[in-house]
């Protein structure tokens, strides 16, 4: 079973295949997998044990809005630190 949090099931094999020339980043199937993974938004579900209220948080992964927000926050902190 493939890990839903990975766009390619075996990262080491992917790198080996890319470096050896057995696979190319121009491969249509590889690009399709990455785009599908990036567009498939997954959420964590948080439940308030007292009220039963459910809150959903977008899982951060490279390429989605939650990841971009995290990186923007990190960049802002770095810029503030450099200015002081």
């Amino acid at each position: 079973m493939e890990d839903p949090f990975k766009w390619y099931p075996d990262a080491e094999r992917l790198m080996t295949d890319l470096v050896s020339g057995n696979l190319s980043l121009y491969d249509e199937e590889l690009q399709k997998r990455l785009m599908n993974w990036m567009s498939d938004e997954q959420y964590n579900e948080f439940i308030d044990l007292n009220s039963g209220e459910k809150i959903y948080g977008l899982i951060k992964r490279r390429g989605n809005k939650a990841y971009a927000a995290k990186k923007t926050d990190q960049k802002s902190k770095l810029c503030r630190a450099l200015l002081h």
Side-chain angles (χ1 to χ4, degrees):
M1 180 174 202
E2 288 187 18
D3 183 344
F5 298 103
K6 291 185 177 180
W7 69 275
Y8 200 83
D10 185 352
E12 287 184 35
R13 178 63 187 216
L14 172 63
M15 292 303 294
T16 301
D17 286 346
L18 288 170
V19 170
S20 67
N22 293 331
L23 188 62
S24 167
L25 290 176
Y26 296 107
D27 180 79
E28 287 184 30
E29 180 61 29
L30 189 61
Q31 289 181 9
K32 182 177 155 188
R33 279 179 155 186
L34 177 60
M35 296 307 293
N36 286 340
W37 178 81
M38 287 174 59
S39 64
D40 180 34
E41 295 183 343
Q42 295 179 345
Y43 295 84
N44 287 320
E45 180 181 70
F46 301 95
I47 302 173
D48 184 322
L49 298 178
N50 295 322
S51 69
E53 178 186 10
K54 294 180 182 179
I55 298 171
Y56 299 92
L58 184 62
I59 293 173
K60 292 181 187 103
R61 61 170 118 157
R62 191 175 298 259
N64 73 7
K65 292 176 237 170
Y67 182 84
K70 174 185 168 189
K71 289 300 176 185
T72 299
D73 184 50
Q74 289 175 342
K75 182 188 84 168
S76 296
K77 288 177 184 175
L78 179 61
C79 288
R80 282 194 302 273
L82 290 172
L83 292 173
H84 295 320

